Amino acid sequence: MLSFTEPTTIVEAVQQLDTYDNADFDRGASRIKEIAWVLVRWVFFETALPWPSAFKASLLRAFGATIGRGVVIRPRFSVSFPWRLKVGNFCWIGEGVRMLSVAEVEIGAHVCISQESYLCTGSHDYKREDFRLITKPILIGNHSWVGARCFLAPGVELGEGAVAAAGSVVTKSVPPRQIVQ
Protein backbone atom coordinates (compact mmCIF):
# COMPACT_ATOMS: atom_id res chain seq x y z
CA MET A 1 0.00 0.00 0.00
CA LEU A 2 1.30 3.47 -0.87
CA SER A 3 1.06 6.26 1.65
CA PHE A 4 1.36 9.97 1.02
CA THR A 5 1.91 12.91 3.31
CA GLU A 6 -0.57 15.76 3.37
CA PRO A 7 0.29 18.44 0.79
CA THR A 8 1.64 21.67 2.23
CA THR A 9 1.34 23.76 -0.93
CA ILE A 10 -1.14 23.84 -3.77
CA VAL A 11 0.59 23.93 -7.17
CA GLU A 12 -1.01 26.74 -9.16
CA ALA A 13 0.67 26.07 -12.50
CA VAL A 14 1.61 22.81 -14.16
CA GLN A 15 4.61 22.55 -16.41
CA GLN A 16 4.18 22.82 -20.15
CA LEU A 17 7.52 21.42 -21.26
CA ASP A 18 7.06 22.54 -24.86
CA THR A 19 7.47 26.12 -23.54
CA TYR A 20 10.77 25.37 -21.76
CA ASP A 21 13.67 27.47 -23.04
CA ASN A 22 17.06 27.77 -21.39
CA ALA A 23 18.67 29.70 -24.27
CA ASP A 24 19.73 32.43 -21.82
CA PHE A 25 21.64 29.95 -19.61
CA ASP A 26 25.39 30.68 -19.69
CA ARG A 27 27.26 27.38 -19.76
CA GLY A 28 30.48 29.19 -18.83
CA ALA A 29 32.64 27.79 -21.64
CA SER A 30 32.63 27.13 -25.36
CA ARG A 31 30.98 24.03 -26.79
CA ILE A 32 34.43 22.75 -27.84
CA LYS A 33 35.73 23.03 -24.27
CA GLU A 34 32.60 21.36 -22.94
CA ILE A 35 32.89 18.46 -25.40
CA ALA A 36 36.59 18.07 -24.55
CA TRP A 37 35.69 17.98 -20.85
CA VAL A 38 33.03 15.29 -21.42
CA LEU A 39 35.63 13.09 -23.11
CA VAL A 40 38.25 13.67 -20.39
CA ARG A 41 35.64 13.08 -17.67
CA TRP A 42 34.56 9.84 -19.30
CA VAL A 43 38.11 8.47 -19.67
CA PHE A 44 39.77 9.65 -16.43
CA PHE A 45 37.02 10.39 -13.89
CA GLU A 46 33.89 8.30 -14.41
CA THR A 47 35.88 5.10 -14.69
CA ALA A 48 36.59 2.66 -11.87
CA LEU A 49 40.29 2.84 -12.77
CA PRO A 50 42.23 4.41 -9.90
CA TRP A 51 43.99 7.25 -11.77
CA PRO A 52 46.22 9.19 -9.33
CA SER A 53 44.49 12.07 -7.56
CA ALA A 54 47.27 14.52 -8.45
CA PHE A 55 46.78 13.69 -12.13
CA LYS A 56 43.01 14.18 -11.90
CA ALA A 57 43.52 17.45 -10.01
CA SER A 58 45.79 18.71 -12.80
CA LEU A 59 43.15 17.81 -15.40
CA LEU A 60 40.50 19.69 -13.43
CA ARG A 61 42.81 22.71 -13.21
CA ALA A 62 43.39 22.56 -16.98
CA PHE A 63 39.63 22.95 -17.41
CA GLY A 64 39.43 25.95 -15.07
CA ALA A 65 38.78 24.43 -11.64
CA THR A 66 40.58 25.74 -8.58
CA ILE A 67 41.98 22.71 -6.75
CA GLY A 68 44.07 22.97 -3.58
CA ARG A 69 46.99 20.87 -2.39
CA GLY A 70 46.59 17.30 -1.18
CA VAL A 71 43.12 16.75 -2.65
CA VAL A 72 42.06 13.09 -2.93
CA ILE A 73 39.70 12.27 -5.79
CA ARG A 74 38.36 8.72 -5.80
CA PRO A 75 37.09 6.89 -8.94
CA ARG A 76 33.73 7.52 -10.60
CA PHE A 77 33.70 11.24 -9.70
CA SER A 78 31.66 13.44 -12.03
CA VAL A 79 31.42 17.22 -12.25
CA SER A 80 29.45 18.80 -15.08
CA PHE A 81 31.35 22.10 -15.45
CA PRO A 82 34.76 22.04 -13.70
CA TRP A 83 35.27 25.75 -14.44
CA ARG A 84 32.66 26.34 -11.71
CA LEU A 85 34.42 24.21 -9.07
CA LYS A 86 36.67 25.41 -6.22
CA VAL A 87 38.16 22.89 -3.79
CA GLY A 88 40.37 23.84 -0.84
CA ASN A 89 43.45 22.07 0.48
CA PHE A 90 43.38 18.50 1.83
CA CYS A 91 39.84 17.57 0.77
CA TRP A 92 38.55 14.10 0.03
CA ILE A 93 36.05 13.51 -2.76
CA GLY A 94 34.67 10.01 -2.41
CA GLU A 95 33.89 7.36 -4.98
CA GLY A 96 30.83 8.02 -7.09
CA VAL A 97 30.38 11.66 -6.00
CA ARG A 98 28.39 13.67 -8.56
CA MET A 99 28.24 17.44 -8.88
CA LEU A 100 25.80 19.24 -11.13
CA SER A 101 27.69 22.51 -11.29
CA VAL A 102 25.42 24.76 -13.34
CA ALA A 103 26.29 27.28 -10.59
CA GLU A 104 29.44 27.52 -8.45
CA VAL A 105 30.42 24.71 -6.07
CA GLU A 106 32.88 25.95 -3.47
CA ILE A 107 34.39 23.47 -1.02
CA GLY A 108 36.58 24.71 1.83
CA ALA A 109 39.74 23.09 3.18
CA HIS A 110 39.79 19.76 5.05
CA VAL A 111 36.33 18.76 3.78
CA CYS A 112 35.18 15.19 3.19
CA ILE A 113 32.50 14.57 0.54
CA SER A 114 31.68 10.90 1.09
CA GLN A 115 30.85 8.30 -1.53
CA GLU A 116 27.84 8.65 -3.82
CA SER A 117 26.85 12.09 -2.56
CA TYR A 118 25.15 14.44 -5.01
CA LEU A 119 25.70 18.20 -5.01
CA CYS A 120 23.01 19.81 -7.17
CA THR A 121 23.20 23.52 -8.05
CA GLY A 122 20.25 23.50 -10.45
CA SER A 123 16.54 22.81 -10.37
CA HIS A 124 13.35 24.10 -11.99
CA ASP A 125 10.59 26.46 -10.91
CA TYR A 126 7.57 24.16 -10.60
CA LYS A 127 5.34 27.21 -10.09
CA ARG A 128 5.89 28.34 -13.68
CA GLU A 129 4.46 26.68 -16.77
CA ASP A 130 7.77 27.15 -18.61
CA PHE A 131 9.58 25.14 -15.85
CA ARG A 132 12.30 27.84 -15.76
CA LEU A 133 15.81 26.76 -14.74
CA ILE A 134 16.92 27.91 -11.28
CA THR A 135 20.61 27.90 -10.37
CA LYS A 136 22.13 28.62 -6.97
CA PRO A 137 25.67 27.94 -5.69
CA ILE A 138 26.62 25.42 -3.01
CA LEU A 139 29.17 26.47 -0.40
CA ILE A 140 30.77 24.01 2.02
CA GLY A 141 32.79 25.47 4.88
CA ASN A 142 36.19 24.31 6.10
CA HIS A 143 36.31 21.09 8.15
CA SER A 144 32.80 19.97 7.11
CA TRP A 145 31.70 16.46 6.31
CA VAL A 146 29.07 15.40 3.78
CA GLY A 147 28.18 11.81 4.68
CA ALA A 148 27.66 8.99 2.19
CA ARG A 149 24.74 9.34 -0.22
CA CYS A 150 23.79 12.85 0.84
CA PHE A 151 21.90 15.20 -1.44
CA LEU A 152 22.70 18.93 -1.21
CA ALA A 153 20.12 21.15 -2.91
CA PRO A 154 20.78 24.38 -4.81
CA GLY A 155 21.75 27.28 -2.55
CA VAL A 156 22.79 25.18 0.44
CA GLU A 157 25.63 26.44 2.61
CA LEU A 158 27.24 24.13 5.16
CA GLY A 159 28.92 26.21 7.82
CA GLU A 160 32.43 25.53 9.07
CA GLY A 161 32.64 22.15 10.82
CA ALA A 162 29.05 21.19 9.89
CA VAL A 163 28.07 17.57 9.29
CA ALA A 164 25.40 16.26 6.92
CA ALA A 165 24.82 12.70 8.17
CA ALA A 166 24.75 9.79 5.72
CA GLY A 167 21.65 9.68 3.54
CA SER A 168 20.55 13.23 4.37
CA VAL A 169 18.58 15.41 2.00
CA VAL A 170 19.77 18.93 2.78
CA THR A 171 17.54 21.68 1.38
CA LYS A 172 18.41 24.52 3.76
CA SER A 173 21.71 25.98 4.94
CA VAL A 174 23.34 24.51 8.03
CA PRO A 175 25.01 26.71 10.67
CA PRO A 176 28.64 26.09 11.69
CA ARG A 177 29.28 22.97 13.82
CA GLN A 178 25.73 21.68 13.46
CA ILE A 179 24.71 18.16 12.43
CA VAL A 180 21.75 17.52 10.11
CA GLN A 181 20.22 14.16 9.33
Side-chain angles (χ1 to χ4, degrees):
M1 171 187 283
L2 295 175
S3 72
F4 299 93
T5 59
E6 288 296 315
T8 57
T9 303
I10 302 296
V11 178
E12 298 293 329
V14 293
Q15 54 266 25
Q16 300 293 327
L17 297 179
D18 59 332
T19 66
Y20 178 75
D21 179 15
N22 72 343
D24 61 341
F25 173 66
D26 179 10
R27 301 176 79 77
S30 70
R31 284 288 196 196
I32 298 295
K33 183 175 182 178
E34 191 173 348
I35 290 167
W37 169 246
V38 168
L39 294 173
V40 167
R41 182 178 74 196
W42 183 68
V43 172
F44 298 108
F45 289 84
E46 292 186 5
T47 177
L49 294 174
W51 294 98
S53 293
F55 174 67
K56 290 189 275 189
S58 67
L59 289 173
L60 287 166
R61 287 185 197 102
F63 280 90
T66 302
I67 307 294
R69 294 183 332 271
V71 173
V72 174
I73 303 169
R74 302 291 299 151
R76 298 187 309 108
F77 167 60
S78 178
V79 58
S80 51
F81 302 140
W83 43 91
R84 292 192 171 129
L85 176 62
K86 294 179 183 173
V87 180
N89 295 330
F90 307 105
C91 290
W92 295 349
I93 299 175
E95 186 162 346
V97 168
R98 302 188 69 76
M99 296 180 188
L100 176 64
S101 57
V102 293
E104 309 298 322
V105 174
E106 187 170 339
I107 300 168
H110 302 277
V111 171
C112 178
I113 311 291
S114 293
Q115 61 273 20
E116 297 183 6
S117 290
Y118 188 76
L119 283 59
C120 181
T121 62
S123 189
H124 297 275
D125 188 346
Y126 67 89
K127 296 177 185 176
R128 293 177 49 140
E129 288 183 357
D130 65 0
F131 210 46
R132 183 139 183 97
L133 180 65
I134 300 169
T135 63
K136 295 179 183 174
I138 290 176
L139 304 171
I140 301 174
N142 297 334
H143 309 284
S144 294
W145 180 19
V146 177
R149 292 192 172 177
C150 281
F151 174 86
L152 299 185
V156 164
E157 293 184 31
L158 287 185
E160 184 168 338
V163 175
S168 296
V169 175
V170 184
T171 60
K172 294 182 170 53
S173 292
V174 179
R177 301 197 180 279
Q178 297 293 306
I179 298 173
V180 293
Q181 56 187 358

